[in-house]
Amino acid sequence: MSLRIFIQNKQVITFTKSERTVTGSANLDIKMEIPFKADNIKNCWQEWDGSWGSQYDIYIYNKSDAAFLDWNLVMTIPTEGRIDSSWNADYVHTIGKISITGIDSFFTTVIHPHNSIKLGFVLYSNNLMNGSDFILTGRFIRNPLREPSFIVALVFLAVSLIVFIVSLFFYHTIKAQAAIDNEKIDSLLKLCARFIDTRDEYTKMHSSHVGFYSKEIAKEMGFDEEFQKNIYYMGMMHDVGKVLIPKEILCKPGKLSDEEWAEMKKHTSYGAEILSDFAAVKGIREAVLFHHERYDGKGYPRGLHDKEIPIQARIIAVADSYDAMHTNRSYRNHLDDTVILSELEKNKGIQFDPDVAEAMLRLLRKKGFV
């Protein structure tokens, strides 16, 4: 007898006849036999008319690591053959053929890895069957846990998950530490700003005000939160160099002499020197050094103009000038709001970056500042 198998990859395997056992597949074996009865006589008999009846048992062995399912076994039988009874499967008999499929209730729909099923029938025919042609079709479903590629993928996934969890832990740890560090920086710079402002009773809270106005201008101009946070700190520290200016110059009620004014202007350079090693706020040194530069190039200390001046310094220049005009100073009282608006408008493109000055004017027109 011979057997052909159609499996999932469409490969056809032809089996060679070996008495009543069909072998030759690495995955499947089929065996058909006439079983012995209790008296050690084969379960076959001859009828009165000379025909033969016999029990035929069929075994399907699955030798693979994959489940074999949706199988169908078609086998040839004598054309005059008659099926009297059958078991463990569903049988469809046509002339010269019988088609067999598994049944759920008999647990024969799936042939599990390294397992077998038994089925059979009683056939009456003119002669006993000495052989038959079989065609077995079905498909293998492999257990992914047995596939090396799946195991590798599973290990990779597990390692990736561990890396992700560890990274997430470190991310939250670093984020929490960054929040603590930011709080420390914020407290330190606010303390420095208060110290700077205590040197002149007329400029109390000036540093904090400039930081606040600078942040509001940056927000109005569309800069992101990181930029707003940094320029707030820059604004608070813009006058840090004044701690090195003699108090008699810093607090002089009248007009400064040329020598005194030359000394006063050094506060930007002093501030930049003080902050030269302060890396917590990127760009703070340049913002402090250049916040008295003018858009038209007539400022100090270097006479930069237009976009040569860092944007942070251009923003602080407007915030600084606004607060100076809005508060009392040793040499004059605060200016009226209409005068302040006029000065900002008049100096767009001259003292101030026109975009920055316009942003400040929009803020004042929308809500004003106290």
Side-chain angles (χ1 to χ4, degrees):
M1 62 183 72
S2 63
L3 172 68
R4 288 175 293 169
I5 293 182
F6 298 81
I7 58 177
Q8 199 170 16
N9 62 9
K10 304 302 182 184
Q11 180 183 3
V12 178
I13 302 175
T14 301
F15 289 81
T16 58
K17 184 173 72 171
S18 175
E19 297 182 350
R20 290 199 177 96
T21 300
V22 182
T23 60
S25 169
N27 295 318
L28 293 164
D29 273 341
I30 290 184
K31 178 181 179 182
M32 187 179 76
E33 65 179 10
I34 299 174
F36 288 91
K37 295 186 293 184
D39 55 5
N40 205 31
I41 298 175
K42 285 192 174 183
N43 192 14
C44 58
W45 59 92
Q46 191 170 28
E47 294 291 299
W48 61 272
D49 60 357
S51 63
W52 285 87
S54 178
Q55 176 182 338
Y56 296 93
D57 286 346
I58 300 172
Y59 299 86
I60 303 177
Y61 299 92
N62 182 0
K63 302 186 294 181
S64 74
D65 293 329
F68 189 60
L69 64 160
D70 294 340
W71 60 269
N72 175 250
L73 175 63
V74 178
M75 59 178 292
T76 60
I77 61 174
T79 56
E80 80 284 358
R82 174 176 59 87
I83 299 294
D84 179 69
S85 60
S86 58
W87 51 90
N88 295 351
D90 184 35
Y91 297 79
V92 178
H93 179 206
T94 57
I95 297 175
K97 286 186 179 180
I98 185 169
S99 177
I100 309 171
T101 54
I103 297 178
D104 286 333
S105 57
F106 290 111
F107 305 102
T108 55
T109 55
V110 178
I111 308 175
H112 295 286
H114 304 288
N115 213 327
S116 65
I117 60 170
K118 176 185 176 183
L119 44 110
F121 54 87
V122 172
L123 174 71
Y124 288 94
S125 60
N126 292 339
N127 296 289
L128 292 174
M129 286 200 302
N130 293 319
S132 179
D133 290 330
F134 295 87
I135 297 176
L136 178 63
T137 61
R139 62 193 180 97
F140 287 102
I141 298 296
R142 296 189 177 280
N143 184 347
L145 294 177
R146 295 176 179 267
E147 294 295 320
S149 59
F150 179 82
I151 295 172
V152 171
L154 195 63
V155 171
F156 176 78
L157 181 62
V159 171
S160 299
L161 185 60
I162 293 171
V163 171
F164 172 76
I165 293 172
V166 172
S167 300
L168 192 64
F169 171 77
F170 280 113
Y171 168 76
H172 285 293
T173 302
I174 293 169
K175 189 176 180 181
Q177 186 60 48
I180 295 171
D181 292 342
N182 285 337
E183 186 176 347
K184 290 179 179 178
I185 292 170
D186 186 77
S187 299
L188 175 63
L189 295 183
K190 284 180 178 177
L191 180 64
C192 291
R194 290 193 187 98
F195 174 72
I196 296 165
D197 292 342
T198 56
R199 301 202 69 226
D200 184 356
E201 62 177 310
Y202 287 98
T203 59
K204 285 180 180 178
M205 299 301 293
H206 172 67
S207 297
S208 297
H209 289 167
V210 173
F212 170 75
Y213 299 143
S214 297
K215 180 180 179 181
E216 289 296 311
I217 293 170
K219 184 177 180 181
E220 178 68 21
M221 294 180 72
F223 288 100
D224 61 27
E225 290 185 2
E226 182 70 16
F227 185 95
Q228 294 174 39
K229 180 187 73 174
N230 285 338
I231 202 166
Y232 170 69
Y233 293 143
M234 294 173 187
M236 284 201 303
M237 298 301 291
H238 77 287
D239 273 347
V240 66
K242 286 185 177 180
V243 298
L244 299 179
I245 301 297
K247 194 165 185 179
E248 58 270 20
I249 296 176
L250 191 65
C251 303
K252 185 176 180 179
K255 185 178 179 180
L256 297 177
S257 66
D258 291 343
E259 293 79 8
E260 291 170 334
W261 179 237
E263 181 63 24
M264 177 65 83
K265 289 196 294 185
K266 291 179 182 178
H267 80 277
T268 58
S269 300
Y270 292 156
E273 186 176 348
I274 291 170
L275 296 168
S276 60
D277 294 325
F278 186 69
V281 180
K282 187 177 179 180
I284 192 170
R285 179 185 177 279
E286 290 74 17
V288 170
L289 180 62
F290 298 127
H291 75 275
H292 276 298
E293 298 286 0
R294 290 168 53 107
Y295 201 73
D296 60 6
K298 296 179 180 179
Y300 63 90
R302 296 186 186 172
L304 303 180
H305 72 282
D306 204 324
K307 299 300 188 292
E308 291 178 345
I309 309 167
I311 182 60
Q312 295 92 334
R314 283 179 267 150
I315 291 173
I316 293 171
V318 173
D320 185 26
S321 296
Y322 170 76
D323 192 62
M325 292 186 285
H326 192 256
T327 55
N328 294 326
R329 292 299 173 97
S330 60
Y331 50 89
R332 59 148 177 82
N333 291 327
H334 73 274
L335 303 180
D336 292 335
D337 290 344
T338 54
V339 176
I340 295 173
L341 289 170
S342 175
E343 286 295 313
L344 289 172
E345 189 71 49
K346 182 174 64 176
N347 282 285
K348 286 195 299 186
I350 300 173
Q351 181 179 352
F352 307 125
D353 181 322
D355 294 332
V356 179
E358 186 57 40
M360 186 64 176
L361 286 167
R362 286 198 305 271
L363 288 170
L364 292 171
R365 293 180 185 124
K366 281 193 295 187
K367 56 185 179 181
F369 285 125
V370 177

